Amino acid sequence: MDLFSSALQNDSNRPLAERLRPKSLLEMVGQPKLLSGSSRWREAAEAGKTLPSLILFGPPGCGKTTFARIICSRDDVFTETCHAIETGAKLLKEVCERARMRKLTERKRTLVFVDEIHRLNRAQQDVLLSSLESGDVALLGATTENPSHTLNPALISRCQVLQFDPLTDEDLFELVRRGFQAMDREVDVVLSEDASHRLLQLSDGDARRLLNFVEWLAIEAAPSQPLTADEVEARLGSLMVRFDKTGQEHHDLISALIKSIRGSDPDAAVYYLARLVKGGEDVAFLSRRLMILASEDIGNADPRALQVAVSGAEAVTRVGWPEASIIFSQVVCYLACAPKSNSSYRAINEALSCVEKTGSRPIPLALRSSKTALSRSLGYGRGYQYSHDGERGFIDQEFLPSGLESERFLELSERGFEKNMRQYQDWIRGKRSESSAEKPESGKSDA
């Protein structure tokens, strides 16, 4: 370390988050699965054992970069640090070549740390593969994005993925205490209890953001009395939630919304909708997902659900944000409270599977079009019975191709309007329904 870098390390004007960055795994907060006394990763790191190539995956400000820097500070490795947005294929090739020569001449392992590794494109990621395979380099990558969405499968297969969890409130409170202590302030003097909780909320689980907030609050003159929650928000600004329209947060929020609606929990559904609204989710994408859900998870248990979703999709395109949130809320609440059935969804999947297995079975002659003289001479349409001529608008005849007569794709539930559909099917076939022996009222639904 030269004179200038040494002075920089001791510079008290560095951001508080950087000054408080842990120098050892013992100083880190959170991540008990990775850093507890019994963790094999901690034992291996502290014992100086050789670690495999690692991908560190987790939300911002949870300790990934700190963990990586501690690993990189070991004396038994040489570290090459790259930031993905500043790194190209040429630079990575040079790094790998230096590592190869270092291995040959110095017998020293090279650890390549790539921050925000998800920003490397596919070609840049491929540059690392041969060097990882030969053992010239070990990779240490940090990312906020799910590796399975952003990294090449070949690269992932050569690494182990360590998932970092969000910091808990207890972890964040400990960082607040450390931060104010480093600034020669007492937490209780600066913040009321409500203000402390609001500070954690505004940080959104990001330790770096939290310590920046602590620093801004601490450098101001000491208040005559502890700040309130409203005063803290007035000084720091409102909460900006994490969101990326193409990233992990996008996929996770959509998944949570769909599963909450499917699970008939309107409160959870509206909560996740609010997160998507706050992040400015694409109106057309959200509309498409709700229309699909209305058919897949509700279907004919409440046929109106698809109408509501389609009407909502049309309305939000005309209105746009922010008022579209009101329309989306109406749609989401209706879908969450509607009776659920995936009978139609399962029916088409079963039918597609059957077609995949059996191919293009000949359509029965009675069902084929007989509009031309040639068709009629070939027997097309012959033997077909007009269903309306039957006593109940139904004549029992076979419609499936030969060999598939016993196949049944639709299994109706006893929920919502599907109960009426089931009763009608039983009635026209002269079967006695378990719930009613009478003709179903086809115009009514108990949805």
Side-chain angles (χ1 to χ4, degrees):
M1 181 181 294
D2 59 29
L3 177 63
F4 297 103
S5 59
S6 176
L8 184 60
Q9 288 292 328
N10 296 320
D11 185 4
S12 60
N13 290 324
R14 287 186 301 145
L16 179 63
E18 192 61 29
R19 279 183 278 150
L20 291 184
R21 188 183 292 277
K23 304 297 189 298
S24 68
L25 297 179
L26 188 62
E27 297 177 16
M28 291 185 64
V29 298
Q31 312 309 329
K33 291 187 295 186
L34 301 177
L35 304 176
S36 66
S38 60
S39 168
R40 65 188 183 95
W41 298 109
R42 178 170 175 173
E43 291 175 354
E46 292 178 341
K49 295 180 181 178
T50 301
L51 292 173
S53 293
L54 300 173
I55 302 295
L56 314 179
F57 160 50
C62 66
K64 302 185 300 298
T65 301
T66 296
F67 181 87
R69 289 191 180 185
I70 293 171
I71 298 299
C72 292
S73 66
R74 291 169 43 164
D75 295 331
D76 61 328
V77 296
F78 184 90
T79 302
E80 295 263 16
T81 301
C82 308
H83 197 289
I85 62 174
E86 301 171 351
T87 302
K90 180 181 178 182
L91 178 59
L92 289 174
K93 289 178 182 178
E94 293 172 354
V95 167
C96 292
E97 178 59 23
R98 287 197 299 268
R100 187 181 71 83
M101 295 303 298
R102 193 175 294 116
K103 180 182 177 183
L104 292 174
T105 58
E106 302 177 28
R107 305 295 184 190
K108 199 166 189 178
R109 194 178 189 216
T110 298
L111 187 60
V112 179
F113 173 48
V114 184
D115 199 10
E116 297 191 68
I117 192 171
H118 59 274
R119 295 185 182 274
L120 293 182
N121 61 37
R122 300 283 170 163
Q124 291 166 344
Q125 293 176 36
D126 286 343
V127 171
L128 298 167
L129 295 180
S130 60
S131 294
L132 286 172
E133 194 71 34
S134 64
D136 292 339
V137 303
L139 176 64
L140 189 57
T143 176
T144 57
E145 299 294 329
N146 190 323
S148 62
H149 294 161
T150 56
L151 301 183
N152 292 353
L155 184 63
I156 295 176
S157 70
R158 290 164 172 79
C159 304
Q160 288 190 248
V161 177
L162 297 188
Q163 181 165 351
F164 281 63
D165 296 324
L167 297 180
T168 65
D169 283 352
E170 290 76 12
D171 299 330
L172 296 172
F173 270 121
E174 171 61 19
L175 292 177
V176 170
R177 186 193 64 78
R178 292 185 188 183
F180 277 109
Q181 186 178 49
M183 299 293 291
D184 296 322
R185 293 291 186 92
E186 292 293 331
V187 179
D188 296 342
V189 173
V190 181
L191 301 174
S192 66
E193 184 176 348
D194 288 343
S196 295
H197 285 286
R198 187 56 182 151
L199 178 62
L200 301 194
Q201 293 171 347
L202 292 172
S203 72
D204 203 23
D206 187 329
R208 186 183 302 103
R209 182 190 295 180
L210 176 66
L211 290 173
N212 286 339
F213 288 163
V214 169
E215 185 173 20
W216 296 340
L217 292 172
I219 60 177
E220 295 185 8
S224 57
Q225 58 184 5
L227 298 173
T228 66
D230 290 340
E231 289 172 333
V232 165
E233 184 165 344
R235 296 188 183 201
L236 300 179
S238 59
L239 172 65
M240 293 295 293
V241 298
R242 290 194 303 270
F243 191 73
D244 182 347
K245 291 183 181 180
T246 59
Q248 181 66 31
E249 199 74 12
H250 160 83
H251 294 290
D252 288 347
L253 284 173
I254 286 293
S255 176
L257 173 67
I258 297 302
K259 290 172 180 174
S260 298
I261 297 174
R262 183 183 295 140
S264 299
D265 188 334
D267 297 307
V270 170
Y271 167 76
Y272 291 116
L273 173 64
R275 293 268 298 269
L276 290 163
V277 170
K278 195 76 173 176
E281 178 58 84
D282 179 60
V283 166
F285 173 81
L286 185 52
S287 297
R288 287 196 302 272
R289 291 305 302 264
L290 292 175
M291 285 189 286
I292 294 169
L293 178 140
S295 185
E296 176 181 344
D297 293 300
I298 298 172
N300 288 316
D302 183 355
R304 294 167 297 190
L306 183 56
Q307 298 172 13
V308 169
V310 172
S311 297
E314 181 179 353
V316 295
T317 56
R318 295 184 180 185
V319 173
W321 297 124
E323 290 82 359
S325 62
I326 305 169
I327 299 167
F328 274 127
S329 180
Q330 178 184 351
V331 174
V332 164
C333 290
Y334 186 96
L335 299 182
C337 295
K340 306 296 189 295
S341 173
N342 66 347
S343 297
S344 299
Y345 173 71
R346 287 186 288 110
I348 186 60
N349 285 337
E350 290 290 333
L352 288 169
S353 177
C354 178
V355 170
E356 184 72 24
K357 293 176 182 176
T358 61
S360 303
R361 292 289 182 95
I363 298 172
L365 288 176
L367 301 184
R368 298 187 190 186
S369 172
S370 58
K371 290 188 177 296
T372 66
L374 176 60
S375 298
R376 289 190 293 273
S377 69
L378 295 175
Y380 289 12
R382 187 179 303 159
Y384 171 67
Q385 302 178 70
Y386 190 53
S387 296
H388 292 287
D389 291 339
E391 180 183 353
R392 300 182 177 182
F394 171 78
I395 296 175
D396 192 10
Q397 53 190 318
E398 187 56 59
F399 292 96
L400 282 168
S402 176
L404 300 180
E405 294 89 350
S406 62
E407 293 289 342
R408 294 296 176 265
F409 305 114
L410 178 62
E411 293 291 338
L412 292 168
S413 71
E414 289 287 347
R415 297 184 293 277
F417 189 73
E418 281 197 2
K419 180 178 180 180
N420 297 55
M421 295 167 62
R422 186 169 192 156
Q423 290 176 354
Y424 176 75
Q425 287 287 314
D426 289 342
W427 176 75
I428 60 174
R429 287 170 171 77
K431 298 179 182 178
R432 184 178 180 84
S433 172
E434 293 181 6
S435 55
S436 173
E438 301 299 324
K439 177 181 177 180
E441 299 179 42
S442 58
K444 300 174 68 175
S445 168
D446 59 359

